Structure formats: C-alpha cells, structure tokens
Amino acid sequence: MAVPLVAVVAFNHFSPFHLSVPCIIFGDLLHDQKLFELKIYAEESGLIRSNEGLSVKSSLSVEELTQADIIIVPSWRDPAEKPNQIMLDAMVEAHARGNQVVGLCLGTYVLAYAGLLKNHKAATHWEFEQDFINRFPDVELDCNALYVDDDRLITSAGTAAGLDCCLYLVRQRYGSVIANKLARRMVIPPYREGGQAQFIERPVPVSTQDARINRLLDYLRNNLNKIHGLDELAQYSMMSRRTFTRQFYKATGMSVGDWLLIERLQRSQELLESTSLAIDTIAEQVGFHSTVSLRQHFKHRFNVTPSEWRKTFQGKYPRLASVEVA
C-alpha cells in the first residue's frame, strides 16, 4: 500500500525553522517504518535559499503537486505578497480532489490568497490577526486556536504550534500510538488540542490620555487583591458615577470590570510563571478570593488550567522527563 505523499512548499527567503517542522515530522524520523513520502515543491526555479544561506531544491512539478495527499505551506515571507497564481490554482485543484491543504503560521495567508478559506474557520499567528482580518474579512479567523481543521483545510498558529498541527495530521492517518512515538523521539509534549489557546501577550495599556484615569489605574494595579465598587472608584477619581463610567470606557476601551479581570489574569500569569506560590495564594493576591473563580476565569480565557500554564512556562513536564527515546 502506497504511503501518503506530502508536498512541502518552499520559497526564497524561507524560514529554516518553519520549513524543518513538516520535514522532520513527515520525513524518515522513525527509520523502521516509512509513514509518508516527503517532497519539496518550489514555485520558483533553481535553488531556493533562506536569508541564512541554506538552500533546497524542488522535487515536484506543479502537476504532481495537485496529486499530493497533503500540501503544506510552512510559512510565507510577506503577508502583503500574493503567491504565484499557478501554485494557488494547483492547491485549489488538490483540495477539490479531496486532498488536505495545510497552512502553518503565515502559510495561512497563502491558503487565503488561493480563496480556499472563504467562509471557513482558520488560525494564524496572533501578532498578524488584525492584518489577516483586514485582508480576508470573509475568513472566520480563530484568534486563539493552536490549529483549526475545517473541511480538509488545516491551519495553525505560529512556530511551535506547527509541530502540534503536524502531529495532529499524523494522528489522523496512523493513530495516537504512532503520533506519540514521533513526539517522544523529538522530546516534545505528545498532544495539545487545537482549541488550546495560543500563549498570547495582550498587554493592557499602562496609561491613557486621561491623567485622572491614569492615577486610578496605578491605584488599582497596587490593590488588585481588594474588592472595588464603582461608587468608591468614582469618588477616588473625583467624578460622579455616571461620568466616571463614561470616562473610564473612553480612556481604556473597556468597562471597569473587564479591565480588572484582564489585569488580574495577567498578574496571575506572571505569578504562575515566576513563583512557586500555591494557586490559592495567587488567587487571593490578584483579587479572585476563590481558587475556583481563578480556575474558571483562567480556563475560559486561555483554554488551559493555571497548573498547566505553570508547567508550560516553568518547563515542568514530568511525563517527558522519564521517557525512553526508542
């Protein structure tokens, strides 16, 4: 039985890391069994070079590209640049044949330029979400997901999320045992769900153009552990309650409750990453006053628990530490 053909798209100025992700996952990583036939397709002729001086050569024609069981675009060099139309048409034809088309990180732009993502869900790197939405308003972008699978169109967030997405594709074809074996060989976590949130840094503005609101924000940041009422905060800001709520929203773009929730979650992230404080202590320090409340808000916002967040950012993976690499 023929193994699936995986075509990885390369282009000049490619990122070595992004290109290597599908190459190592779908290449001959296990040695004892051939899972995929991996080939490189380039839309440009000759040697394809990265900015670092690495080079690759195409081993597929555009006609063969349409026959690939899985086409993977591992990134893209410029979100504002539309790729070669011949390649885009080949991707559309491949998808029409029932094959999978994958965009990792900024590779999602390539699928969108091909028109494949119209009225479909997709993911890309969080830093480019607004640019992507502006360019492709007919795509339903999930700004949090690690990867999304919608009608054989699979797209992922940036960098390491590409590994999760590729392992997901292996799991589809060969099941969890093989996918986990590949993960152990690479010494990475074997499974993260596509719906798990990207680790996104969304800082709340430190200051606004309103001096009175700025003083209040400093006060709130230094007193996150306290319960705050609108009347109290309006009095602190020397405004009526109605004026205060209007001015606060005008200055920050959100309600007092939403601002406090985001600040408390950001502070809890910092404490989880940088301290060994118990989670109930963190909950109290940031103003949730209940471990259950912290867990619920954290899970809702980031799709992971506080403990899982701490393990990720403090590098604690006990299940991997004792794994024997076959």
Side-chain angles (χ1 to χ4, degrees), residues 260-306:
L260 278 169
L261 177 60
I262 293 173
E263 277 289 339
R264 284 169 170 153
L265 287 171
Q266 281 193 183
R267 182 58 181 152
S268 68
Q269 287 176 319
E270 294 170 5
L271 293 173
L272 288 165
E273 294 171 20
S274 61
T275 76
S276 58
L277 291 172
I279 292 176
D280 56 350
T281 301
I282 292 176
E284 184 177 352
Q285 285 195 8
V286 301
F288 283 108
H289 302 288
S290 160
T291 306
V292 172
S293 179
L294 169 60
R295 292 183 194 279
Q296 288 176 340
H297 284 293
F298 204 96
K299 178 73 172 179
H300 177 74
R301 185 79 175 182
F302 305 113
N303 283 350
V304 293
T305 67

Side-chain angles (χ1 to χ4, degrees), residues 196 199 307-317:
Q196 179 172 323
F199 298 121
S307 295
E308 290 168 335
W309 186 277
R310 169 170 275 168
K311 287 178 182 178
T312 296
F313 283 93
Q314 291 195 3
K316 297 176 181 177
Y317 288 104

Side-chain angles (χ1 to χ4, degrees), residues 13-153:
H13 311 296
F14 67 87
S15 159
F17 174 83
H18 288 92
L19 184 66
S20 71
V21 167
C23 288
I24 194 169
I25 294 292
F26 299 103
D28 192 21
L29 186 61
L30 293 184
H31 307 307
D32 59 335
Q33 56 187 132
K34 191 173 183 64
L35 303 177
F36 299 93
E37 182 72 29
L38 177 75
K39 294 194 175 183
I40 301 293
Y41 171 80
E43 65 166 8
E44 297 142 314
S45 60
L47 282 179
I48 305 301
R49 301 183 185 277
S50 73
N51 290 334
E52 296 77 12
L54 300 178
S55 62
V56 296
K57 188 175 182 180
S58 179
S59 56
L60 278 181
S61 67
V62 69
E63 291 78 14
E64 291 171 316
L65 181 67
T66 64
Q67 306 294 324
D69 298 283
I70 305 173
I71 298 175
I72 299 179
V73 187
S75 183
W76 186 235
R77 59 191 169 211
D78 183 359
E81 178 187 351
K82 183 178 180 180
N84 181 285
Q85 189 62 46
I86 294 175
M87 182 183 75
L88 298 182
D89 291 343
M91 292 168 59
V92 172
E93 182 179 344
H95 184 257
R97 291 174 180 269
N99 301 332
Q100 292 176 307
V101 184
V102 183
L104 306 179
C105 193
L106 298 189
T108 303
Y109 277 81
V110 178
L111 274 65
Y113 276 120
L116 286 166
L117 296 180
K118 184 176 182 180
N119 300 322
H120 285 285
K121 294 180 180 179
T124 193
H125 195 291
W126 64 269
E127 287 186 310
F128 291 85
E129 64 181 48
Q130 194 55 57
D131 178 81
F132 187 93
I133 290 169
N134 291 340
R135 293 182 191 278
F136 308 107
D138 54 2
V139 179
E140 187 179 341
L141 188 67
D142 188 332
C143 299
N144 287 319
L146 291 178
Y147 53 88
V148 172
D149 186 348
D150 187 357
D151 187 27
R152 292 171 288 103
L153 299 167

